[in-house]
Amino acid sequence: MAEKKKVLMICLGNICRSPIAEAVFANIVKEKGLQDKWEVDSAALIGYHTGKSPDSRAIKTLKEKGITDYVHKARPIKKDDFNEYDWIFGMDEDNIDELERKKPSGSKAEVELLGKYDPQGDVIIRDPYYDDGSAGFHKAYEQCDRSVRAFLEKQKN
Ligand code: 4NP
């Protein structure tokens, strides 16, 4: 069997957006029965939240969408990830700038904005961490859901 393709979701802290993106990706892969083809993880650009579970608003958003089994502990991205993963997705332009800065030259991963695949063209998945409520988390979820579905469709060709 062909090797699994590997996707790494990245945001600043790995407690809000990239865990949602990871959970959404894993859920869609499961829904489509593609578990033998795809693997996904998520990580941070900063080490500040290392070892922490996702923000409670991210967990609640996932639960409300029917994803009840997602467990993750934040970790920082490491150099090897750039050769381990086929795609590394950032959520906003700052993420991409930082990823491009960290990426060792000649490494395998393709660094892209996840929202580039959003058929509605909502390209930037903005940081909801400092928001008061969870509306930004719900919006991030919907953006991730649309983008991941379009990304996986594109890879079928
Ligand atoms: P995330 O959100 O990058 O979507 O996980 C953030 C989490 C923490 C911080 C910033 C953004 N922070 O500055 O601690």
Side-chain angles (χ1 to χ4, degrees), residues 24-77:
V24 162
F25 192 99
N27 194 50
I28 294 171
V29 160
K30 197 165 134 194
E31 170 194 305
K32 292 180 179 292
L34 297 172
Q35 296 98 317
D36 59 338
K37 293 200 164 57
W38 293 95
E39 198 174 311
V40 64
D41 192 13
S42 65
L45 289 165
I46 54 171
Y48 187 69
H49 298 284
T50 299
K52 283 194 203 161
S53 293
D55 186 285
S56 58
R57 293 166 294 177
I59 298 281
K60 189 160 177 280
T61 300
L62 291 171
K63 286 209 168 121
E64 284 168 9
K65 299 291 182 177
I67 302 177
T68 55
D69 58 350
Y70 178 67
V71 177
H72 182 71
K73 300 287 184 220
R75 71 157 177 99
I77 191 169

Side-chain angles (χ1 to χ4, degrees), residues 11-19 46 48-49 127-130:
C11 62
L12 189 58
N14 192 209
I15 55 169
C16 300
R17 294 165 291 174
S18 61
I46 54 171
Y48 187 69
H49 298 284
D127 179 3
Y129 182 60
Y130 293 104

